[in-house]
């Protein structure tokens, strides 16, 4: 069966890679793309893509779903747009695969309930890189033995949310195995507010935003006389495409929302 795919954000760096991934897969068909800017009516008219990419472009998601029969909707845009797009896709009976991070707990709960009541598969993945998922699982395991933890996540300077979805997901996984406690000196004082980073159940999360970076994270575990570091680096956005392709395939068999790529590996 050929999976009919729609991609939102085709001009973005992640979106471009996703377009090429789907177009080069014999088991998938890119049936349309969603672009918030009215720049062209066909993907082949974009300078980022070759002329054989004969795919219609829409600026409004409701119109797209009315005009095109789709199986999977891939969103790699922004947190605000991703949330609204996911709801629209679920109401339209199209399975969302979402790489956008920054959803609130309330939004995730609403989308989870909507997917479950509709019996429509949905995957929201803070990180599509297989290595990043393994990094999170290794960190979760280590939290059993090293309860004093700090996360340093580093991304490009165009990223909108902080901490990253990967950092938050990592902290949530580690919290399942770690006794919550406040780290550092009990009388610790920040001379500059925010110097110690965000506080997640006593763990500290530090966000770095610089040009030249893609997506990087290290988790530091401090013990008596030792330091354990678990780190992952994505140097190219192609690193995320294995997870995107896997999610498109797996979401076809789901009837509920799955949060995190580790749950479908």
């Amino acid at each position: 069966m050929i999976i009919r795919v729609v991609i939102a954000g085709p001009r973005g760096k992640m979106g471009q890679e996703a377009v090429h991934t789907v177009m080069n897969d014999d088991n998938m068909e890119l049936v349309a793309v969603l672009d918030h800017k009215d720049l062209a009516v066909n993907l082949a008219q974009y300078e980022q893509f070759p002329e054989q990419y004969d795919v219609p472009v829409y600026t409004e998601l409701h119109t797209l779903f009315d005009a095109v029969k789709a199986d999977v909707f891939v969103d790699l845009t922004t947190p605000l747009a991703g949330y609204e797009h996911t709801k629209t896709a679920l109401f339209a009976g199209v399975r969302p695969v979402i790489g956008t991070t920054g959803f609130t707990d309330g939004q995730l709960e609403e989308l989870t309930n909507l997917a479950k009541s509709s019996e429509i598969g949905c995957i929201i993945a803070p990180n599509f890189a297989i290595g990043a998922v393994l990094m999170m699982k290794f960190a979760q395991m280590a939290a059993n033995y090293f309860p004093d933890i700090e996360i340093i996540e580093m991304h490009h300077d165009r990223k909108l949310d902080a901490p990253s979805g990967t950092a938050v997901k990592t902290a949530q996984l580690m919290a399942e195995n770690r006794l919550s406690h406040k780290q550092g000196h009990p009388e610790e004082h920040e001379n500059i507010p925010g110097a110690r980073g965000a506080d997640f159940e006593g763990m500290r999360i530090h966000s770095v935003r610089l040009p030249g970076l893609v997506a990087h994270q290290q988790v530091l575990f401090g013990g008596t006389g030792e330091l354990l570091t678990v780190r992952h680096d994505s140097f190219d956005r192609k690193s995320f495409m294995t997870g995107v392709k896997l999610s498109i395939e797996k979401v076809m068999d789901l009837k509920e929302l799955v949060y995190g790529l580790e749950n479908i590996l």
Side-chain angles (χ1 to χ4, degrees):
M1 182 187 74
I2 301 298
I3 303 174
R4 295 164 299 215
V5 181
V6 171
I7 294 176
R11 290 180 295 109
K13 292 180 179 179
M14 280 282 286
Q16 290 182 47
E17 292 293 344
V19 167
H20 292 307
T21 296
V22 172
M23 291 294 288
N24 292 321
D25 193 300
D26 293 337
N27 297 316
M28 299 178 189
E29 178 187 0
L30 186 62
V31 294
V33 297
L34 179 72
D35 192 336
H36 72 283
K37 288 189 176 180
D38 188 10
L39 300 177
V41 296
N42 194 286
L43 198 60
Q45 296 175 272
Y46 286 15
E47 62 180 16
Q48 295 96 330
F49 302 108
E51 61 182 14
Q52 63 265 32
Y53 280 26
D54 182 18
V55 178
V57 179
Y58 292 84
T59 57
E60 209 282 323
L61 195 54
H62 289 284
T63 304
L64 187 157
F65 287 144
D66 286 340
V68 176
K69 182 172 177 56
D71 298 310
V72 176
F73 170 71
V74 178
D75 190 291
L76 303 165
T77 58
T78 64
L80 179 61
Y83 167 64
E84 294 297 336
H85 290 168
T86 304
K87 286 203 301 182
T88 301
L90 288 171
F91 279 123
V94 180
R95 304 163 184 84
V97 170
I98 311 298
T100 302
T101 60
F103 291 108
T104 66
D105 291 341
Q107 289 172 336
L108 285 173
E109 183 179 1
E110 179 185 0
L111 296 173
T112 297
N113 293 335
L114 180 57
K116 187 174 183 178
S117 63
S118 304
E119 295 189 343
I120 298 174
C122 176
I123 295 174
I124 298 178
N127 200 312
F128 282 114
I130 302 300
V133 174
L134 291 173
M135 175 266 299
M136 287 187 274
K137 294 300 289 183
F138 296 157
Q140 182 183 27
M141 293 168 60
N144 273 312
Y145 309 98
F146 294 88
D148 291 288
I149 303 164
E150 305 233 354
I151 300 173
I152 304 172
E153 57 94 350
M154 299 166 284
H155 285 79
H156 54 89
D157 60 343
R158 307 307 296 170
K159 185 170 179 60
L160 296 177
D161 57 318
S164 69
T166 300
V168 173
K169 179 66 173 179
T170 305
Q172 291 171 339
L173 289 171
M174 292 190 297
E176 295 176 7
N177 293 343
R178 170 186 177 273
L179 181 64
S180 178
H181 70 281
K182 181 177 175 59
Q183 297 177 178
H185 196 284
E187 297 180 11
E188 179 181 84
H189 174 71
E190 291 180 323
N191 293 325
I192 300 177
R196 289 289 290 118
D199 188 325
F200 187 98
E201 297 190 15
M203 293 178 280
R204 294 291 182 167
I205 305 177
H206 310 269
S207 297
V208 177
R209 299 290 178 266
L210 288 172
L213 298 174
V214 177
H216 318 262
Q217 179 171 295
Q218 55 183 331
V219 187
L220 308 178
F221 299 88
T224 303
E226 62 179 328
L227 176 71
L228 171 65
T229 302
V230 180
R231 176 170 178 137
H232 176 262
D233 297 276
S234 282
F235 301 108
D236 192 296
R237 287 169 178 83
K238 289 183 175 64
S239 66
F240 305 116
M241 292 304 111
T242 301
V244 169
K245 181 176 178 294
L246 176 66
S247 296
I248 292 172
E249 295 168 345
K250 292 288 189 179
V251 77
M252 296 294 294
D253 299 323
L254 296 176
K255 293 185 178 181
E256 60 184 355
L257 186 148
V258 170
Y259 180 61
L261 196 65
E262 71 278 2
N263 295 305
I264 63 169
L265 290 179

